[in-house]
Amino acid sequence: MLSKNIEKLLQDQVKKEASSSQTYLSMACWADVKGYNGAADFLYAHSDEERMHMLKLVKFLNERGSQATISELKAPKKDFGSLKEVFESILEHEVKVTESINNIITACLKENDHLTNNFMQWYISEQMEEEQLARSIIDKLEMIGSDTSSLYLFDRELGTSMQQHHQ
Ligand code: OFO
């Protein structure tokens, strides 16, 4: 059985992953209509990944004697100034998610909940990868600046890198 405290933290995390999925879906829509097709593909896939993160938590809660709660979500932002702004807000968002996963792990250690701690280790390595990926995309976009032909090529590259990642 999960403690009340850990259960609450995991329930909150379900909502956070769901909200990440919605946020990236909204960003994908923006990229799609702006003609950034590669970035759109990348963001659609990222949204699916977040839904998978949410589902893993939902199933964990249900298997551990609780019942996952599916909550209402606030509508995500739909307008962005640039592709760089999109990835900056992804990074900002992921840093907060990492913090929240760290808090769950700290609580698990305090309460000697090794099973949940072990389950959450997958999330912490996933966070490291996601933060690193967002940082490297921002670095590239910074180098590209206002060079539209480089931006066009980079967008294409983002789309293909996503396809390779999912093969
Ligand atoms: Fe953005 O990764 Fe979920 O946890």
Side-chain angles (χ1 to χ4, degrees), residues 13 17 24 46 50 53 94 97 101 123 126-127 130:
Q13 195 62 34
E17 301 292 341
Y24 300 148
H46 199 165
E50 297 297 350
H53 298 172
E94 290 301 334
V97 173
I101 288 167
Y123 284 85
E126 183 72 15
Q127 282 312 115
E130 286 192 358

Side-chain angles (χ1 to χ4, degrees), residues 13-29 42-55 73-74 76-77 93-94 97 130:
Q13 195 62 34
V14 166
K15 189 170 180 185
K16 284 176 190 162
E17 301 292 341
S19 144
S20 301
S21 179
Q22 292 275 77
T23 301
Y24 300 148
L25 185 58
S26 182
M27 288 170 170
C29 294
F42 177 94
L43 292 161
Y44 283 127
H46 199 165
S47 169
D48 284 347
E49 279 180 21
E50 297 297 350
R51 183 179 151 78
M52 188 269 282
H53 298 172
M54 177 201 69
L55 267 180
L73 300 172
K74 225 174 90 200
K77 185 172 161 175
H93 185 85
E94 290 301 334
V97 173
E130 286 192 358

